[in-house]
Structure formats: C-alpha cells, structure tokens
Amino acid sequence: MTVRKTAQIYEGKAKKVYDTTDPALAIVSYKDDATAFNGLKRGTIAGKGVVNNRVSNHLFRLLEKEGVPTHYVEELSDRETLVKKVQIVPVEVIVRNIVAGSLAKRLGLAEGTRLRSAVIEYCYKNDDLGDPMINETHIAALGLATHDEMETIARYALAVNRFLTGYLEGLGIELIDFKLEFGRADGRIVLADEISPDTCRFWDTASGEKLDKDRFRRDLGHVEEAYGEILRRLTGGGGEA
Ligand code: TMP
C-alpha cells in the first residue's frame, strides 16, 4: 500500500484519524483510552485499540460480503486501518434485541428481558448535548439526513443485526444491543466508525457474563480479559489484550 499518513485531522475519545496522500482515503488509529458517561469516567484498557481494530475489521469484511457497504479498505497494522473518507451522518443508530442499559432505565424494564422484535433508536451525535435521543422527524427537520438516506440506514442497521446475531450465536455470544454510525462516500451511504466491544453489548450465552465495555462502565473487573476473549472467539487468535 503506497498511501501514507499526512496530517492528523481528528482525535476522538477512542481513535485518531489522519489524512493520507490519497484525498479519498483516511487512516484510523485505535487508542487504548476508554471513556464512559460522555467522558465523565476515564481510563485505559490495555490492548483495547488492537482488539477493536481487528474485531471491527473482521466484522466489516463479513458485512461487505452480506451486501452492507462499509468504509473499510485495508488493515494496515494491529491498530491502524485504511478507510474511505466519509462525511459522517450525525446520527447514532442503536439496535436492541434484549433490554439493557439506558432502555432498562428509561422504561423500567429488567435487564435481560427479550424484546419481541428489534428496536431501533436514533441519537443526535453531539457530545455537548450528551447525544440526545431523536426520531426521524427531528432528523428530517434538522436536515441531518434525507428520508431516502434514513430508509437505507434503517435497512442496513437491521441487516447488520440479522447477520451479527446469527454469526455471534455460533460463537456462543448473545448480541444484546449495539451502536452504528454511517457516512456518505461518493453520494452513497456506507457503514462507518467501528463495531467492537466498545460499541456493542456481548453476553456469553452459557454464563451470561458480560464481554464488553460494561465491564469498564460498571467496574466489573477483568476488562482486558473480556476484550481479549471477544478477539479470540471472533478471529481465533491473538487474545493479547
Ligand atoms: P445504552 O443502553 O447506554 O443507550 O447503549 C446502547 C448501545 O450503544 C450499547 O451497545 C453501547 C452503545 N453505545 C455506544 O457505542 N456509545 C455510546 O456513547 C453509548 C451511550 C452507547
């Protein structure tokens, strides 16, 4: 790959993004920094950047085969990936199969309650406001995305859910919920950001043990081990986290 990193264009809570010598491509670099509750809780999860990079790339490659276009181009190293440069749609898309987290609180439901059908929620991607929940009429009224774009995004989000649920079930992992972000590249919607233990709830099917960022958010211990276990189950190796 002859594309090289140039200037850093963005540093988020978990990743840095760099411009490259190709204006259509960017390089994402995953950090071990962890935050929760909109940055109120901060820490480090050793090896998390490696796990999230490799897990997300593995899943994006599988999703491409399932017909979901993504920003993924090529894994460059343990922590760095070449991606298509996209304009991020400022809407976080949450898909839920089983009640947990903020849904449990909001509706007074017990964590672990199975939903009759998948729930999709949208949040306005704005840290200053704490990513407030919005609906399709807010998205249209604020011009965050068009009606057609939202139709495509919802279709892709449900396709991701269908595929991931079955794939992870085969690995003894229950997919509780997850968050997706989409972007525009050459006028079309593609899956962007990451799919990792930072952005999903994964429960071990047999024991119910949490194998995701809730171990950090809730001080459950064995955080690195949980991330390493997810990498091991998905890619069959390198549980170095
Ligand atoms: P929630 O139950 O806290 O709303 O989280 C739902 C899902 O979204 C869960 O899998 C974790 C993920 N998530 C993120 O990826 N980023 C965030 O900032 C939040 C709040 C949740």
Side-chain angles (χ1 to χ4, degrees):
M1 178 53 60
T2 52
V3 175
R4 286 185 326 276
K5 243 192 243 173
T6 54
Q8 181 178 309
I9 46 175
Y10 170 81
E11 177 159 7
K13 287 176 281 201
K15 297 190 280 295
K16 292 180 185 175
V17 184
Y18 297 87
D19 263 334
T20 71
T21 45
D22 182 334
L25 300 176
I27 290 174
V28 177
S29 180
Y30 286 76
K31 306 190 288 184
D32 286 351
D33 299 350
T35 65
F37 315 117
N38 201 21
L40 278 179
K41 182 182 171 89
R42 287 167 189 279
T44 301
I45 301 172
K48 172 171 87 79
V50 175
V51 171
N52 287 3
N53 184 44
R54 293 182 55 196
V55 163
S56 193
N57 291 341
H58 175 72
L59 294 176
F60 277 28
R61 286 189 292 262
L62 292 173
L63 286 166
E64 286 273 358
K65 288 192 196 141
E66 296 295 312
V68 177
T70 79
H71 72 166
Y72 175 79
V73 177
E74 187 188 348
E75 188 166 292
L76 299 176
S77 69
D78 265 1
R79 286 179 187 272
E80 293 196 338
T81 296
L82 189 65
V83 297
K84 289 175 198 137
K85 214 167 173 179
V86 302
Q87 180 196 27
I88 286 284
V89 175
V91 174
E92 298 195 346
V93 180
I94 293 168
V95 181
R96 301 179 185 272
N97 299 305
I98 290 177
V99 174
S102 68
L103 183 67
K105 276 212 187 91
R106 195 179 334 124
L107 299 187
L109 298 168
E111 272 208 323
T113 308
R114 182 166 292 279
L115 294 157
R116 282 166 204 224
S117 50
V119 167
I120 302 190
E121 294 169 357
Y122 300 115
C123 294
Y124 180 33
K125 196 172 149 58
N126 183 320
D127 279 343
D128 293 341
L129 300 175
D131 300 335
M133 195 192 281
I134 51 176
N135 64 35
E136 278 118 320
T137 69
H138 297 96
I139 293 168
L142 273 59
L144 303 181
T146 67
H147 177 76
D148 282 359
E149 286 176 331
M150 287 314 294
E151 222 169 59
T152 303
I153 284 172
R155 184 160 46 83
Y156 287 161
L158 290 176
V160 170
N161 188 40
R162 261 193 308 275
F163 170 74
L164 279 189
T165 300
Y167 173 71
L168 293 169
E169 204 171 80
L171 302 173
I173 300 165
E174 220 173 348
L175 180 61
I176 308 305
D177 57 31
F178 56 95
K179 185 265 298 178
L180 302 176
E181 294 185 26
F182 292 87
R184 302 179 185 96
D186 302 324
R188 70 172 194 158
I189 291 289
V190 300
L191 181 62
D193 195 51
E194 66 182 275
I195 301 180
S196 73
D198 269 15
T199 64
C200 302
R201 286 195 172 93
F202 297 133
W203 292 1
D204 180 76
T205 311
S207 67
E209 192 190 349
K210 295 184 197 326
L211 299 172
D212 56 59
K213 195 176 168 188
D214 271 349
R215 300 206 74 85
F216 169 78
R217 294 189 190 99
R218 303 180 187 188
D219 295 320
L220 299 176
H222 302 290
V223 184
E224 282 85 1
E225 288 86 343
Y227 277 73
E229 179 64 18
I230 290 296
L231 179 63
R232 245 186 321 274
R233 287 206 206 171
L234 270 67
T235 68
E240 57 275 89

